[in-house]
Amino acid sequence: MAPKTQRAATSQAAAPAVAKTSETLNRLRANIGPLSTLMLRELEGTLPWYRRLSADERSSLGLVAQNGISAFVSWYEHPSSPSWVLSDVFGTAPTELTRSISLQRALQLIRTVVQVVEDRVPELASANDQVDLREAVLRYSREVAFAAADVYARAAENRGAWDTRLEALAVDGILRGENTDALQSRISALGWTSHSRFTIMVGPAPAEADATFLATLRRAAGRFASDVMVGIQGDRLILVLGEVADPETAYLRLGELFAPGPVVYGPLAQTLADATASAKAAFAGMAVARGWSAAPRPVSADDLWPERVIGGDESARRALLTHIYRPLVAASNGLVETLNSYLQLGHSLEAAARDLFVHSNTVRYRLRRVCDVTGWDPLIPREAFVLQTALVVGRLAAPARQSADRPSDRTAPRS
């Protein structure tokens, strides 16, 4: 009999609680409309940014707030897992919510809604139910806040995935030389602000080139450049930099983040169209960098002109003609002859002077002039090799032009 008596007493004690809860639920249901109206008025009065939104945006956010009040009444009646929050409160609005306001403002919106309900607790519940209702409001606000954070986290993940794909397309567009307007549109969508001084770095990609590595690479590059784009194509890592502040330091530090192997950066490009040529030069340099065993890391694609010419790179051949051979020919004063003698006679000033019937100081002066004209010093062995390659390329190019300009001896008229 004792257990039955105990169960009966428990049932009698629970009956008033059920009655109170039913009474509170009835009040909550009856006040959904007034609470929604009061909540919208409170949003207008306390959140200045809410008033600046467009009518459609305010409507969407107001709908979210009203759904929050209605969902609270349903949850108070039947508490359940927090999985209901995302669909019941936000419904189809997460996309519009994340586009209209930041997470901080979304939490301000939730705080205002919760404050409206909490302030009306004395009107919505009897004295015995007020403590339970306040606790329910706090628990509910916590679940809604976590749900809002989840909405923004998912939106950020989706946006990050989309940005990654767009970034890959932009890098690929630079490499392939796509239409500049379309390419400009893509990089602008990524927040790219640089319009000149593009630099392309190419090197082997690390085996662990995951999202964490790419984030680290972007942070490191962001210390030296105004804008950064990263692309991975197979086993190659491509880094596109905009407006590098300290190129020498930047290339050295960023080169350390590539996998072991040659790292090459292309010449500075002033436009997107030039960036394509710079990227091609960097890739061509990477293909032949092993030909220079003492090459620094990273190395400029222009420092690999000889190896690129041997590898069949036409742009390197044109660069040697444009930047070295033709300026030397135009400077005259025997610079080409002096340089040729110096290189052919074992880099000896005295031997070149005897061959040219001039003083060795004259040879030394002319070699300094070669450095002034071309930017390459023949007294440094590696740079002398570049100059010698330029002379070979120039001599191979000259006869073809001469034969086109004048008839050969074989076709000359007989006297």
Side-chain angles (χ1 to χ4, degrees):
M1 294 297 294
K4 292 182 180 181
T5 304
Q6 185 177 1
R7 284 197 298 269
T10 302
S11 300
Q12 291 175 359
V18 173
K20 294 176 197 174
T21 303
S22 298
E23 180 182 355
T24 302
L25 281 173
N26 292 333
R27 291 186 185 182
L28 286 172
R29 294 193 188 100
N31 282 274
I32 289 178
L35 285 174
S36 299
T37 303
L38 182 61
M39 175 269 303
L40 292 175
R41 189 181 304 122
E42 191 70 15
L43 292 176
E44 291 277 356
T46 61
L47 301 178
W49 56 264
Y50 181 82
R51 295 192 298 269
R52 293 193 296 267
L53 297 176
S54 66
D56 289 341
E57 290 173 333
R58 287 199 304 272
S59 176
S60 297
L61 295 181
L63 181 62
V64 170
Q66 293 175 26
N67 287 345
I69 293 176
S70 300
F72 169 69
V73 176
S74 300
W75 175 82
Y76 185 71
E77 182 178 7
H78 300 293
S80 58
S81 65
S83 60
W84 53 268
V85 177
L86 188 61
S87 60
D88 286 4
V89 176
F90 297 106
T92 59
T95 302
E96 290 77 4
L97 183 70
T98 56
R99 289 176 180 173
S100 301
I101 59 175
S102 63
L103 176 59
Q104 180 182 9
R105 290 182 173 181
L107 295 177
Q108 291 176 0
L109 178 74
I110 295 170
R111 185 184 299 114
T112 301
V113 174
V114 170
Q115 189 65 43
V116 168
V117 177
E118 192 172 9
D119 290 343
R120 299 292 297 273
V121 165
E123 302 175 18
L124 299 173
S126 61
N128 294 332
D129 278 352
Q130 288 182 18
V131 175
D132 292 337
L133 183 58
R134 290 184 187 278
E135 182 181 351
V137 171
L138 293 177
R139 290 169 52 201
Y140 175 79
S141 63
R142 180 191 63 186
E143 301 300 345
V144 174
F146 276 116
D150 183 67
V151 167
Y152 279 83
R154 293 185 185 183
E157 290 177 358
N158 293 335
R159 188 161 52 246
W162 169 248
D163 286 349
T164 300
R165 291 192 293 269
L166 188 60
E167 184 180 39
L169 288 173
V171 172
D172 184 66
I174 291 176
L175 299 183
R176 293 192 291 112
E178 283 188 1
N179 179 274
T180 305
D181 292 337
L183 190 56
Q184 185 67 53
S185 176
R186 286 187 192 140
I187 66 175
S188 296
L190 290 169
W192 187 282
T193 59
S194 302
H195 299 288
S196 61
R197 297 178 60 80
F198 298 90
T199 302
I200 315 294
M201 292 187 72
V202 181
E208 66 284 357
D210 52 11
T212 302
F213 166 77
L214 295 180
T216 302
L217 180 60
R218 288 190 180 92
R219 279 197 303 273
R223 299 190 185 102
F224 303 103
S226 299
D227 297 291
V228 181
M229 283 191 292
V230 181
I232 296 181
Q233 295 186 350
D235 59 349
R236 293 181 176 181
L237 175 63
I238 303 107
L239 195 59
V240 183
L241 308 173
E243 297 183 1
V244 180
D246 184 3
E248 185 175 350
T249 303
Y251 301 154
L252 185 62
R253 294 288 181 84
L254 295 177
E256 297 172 356
L257 298 177
F258 289 77
V263 178
V264 183
Y265 56 90
L268 193 65
Q270 295 300 329
T271 65
L272 276 178
D274 296 336
T276 298
S278 176
K280 290 181 178 179
F283 273 97
M286 186 177 177
V288 298
R290 64 183 181 276
W292 182 12
S293 59
R297 187 177 188 270
V299 61
S300 170
D302 290 350
D303 290 342
L304 293 167
W305 275 340
E307 288 78 11
R308 288 167 56 193
V309 168
I310 296 172
D313 184 9
E314 179 63 20
S315 65
R317 189 188 71 83
R318 290 195 303 268
L320 287 173
L321 288 173
T322 302
H323 299 289
I324 297 181
Y325 184 75
R326 289 172 186 165
L328 284 177
V329 172
S332 64
N333 294 330
L335 295 187
V336 173
E337 293 78 6
T338 301
L339 177 62
N340 183 66
S341 295
Y342 173 75
L343 295 175
Q344 295 296 329
L345 297 174
H347 295 205
S348 171
L349 294 173
E350 292 75 12
R354 288 194 300 269
D355 182 59
L356 297 171
F357 301 101
V358 296
H359 195 275
S360 58
N361 286 340
T362 302
V363 175
R364 187 178 287 106
Y365 167 76
R366 290 179 181 177
L367 293 180
R368 284 200 300 268
R369 284 284 297 144
V370 168
C371 183
D372 293 338
V373 171
T374 65
W376 298 86
D377 189 350
L379 300 181
I380 300 176
R382 170 64 192 182
E383 298 190 16
F385 176 55
V386 175
L387 291 167
Q388 187 168 14
T389 306
L391 291 181
V392 174
V393 169
R395 285 194 292 266
L396 291 176
R401 291 197 303 271
Q402 292 175 359
S403 62
D405 294 339
R406 66 182 184 183
S408 63
D409 295 338
R410 186 175 299 175
T411 59
R414 295 182 180 180
S415 56

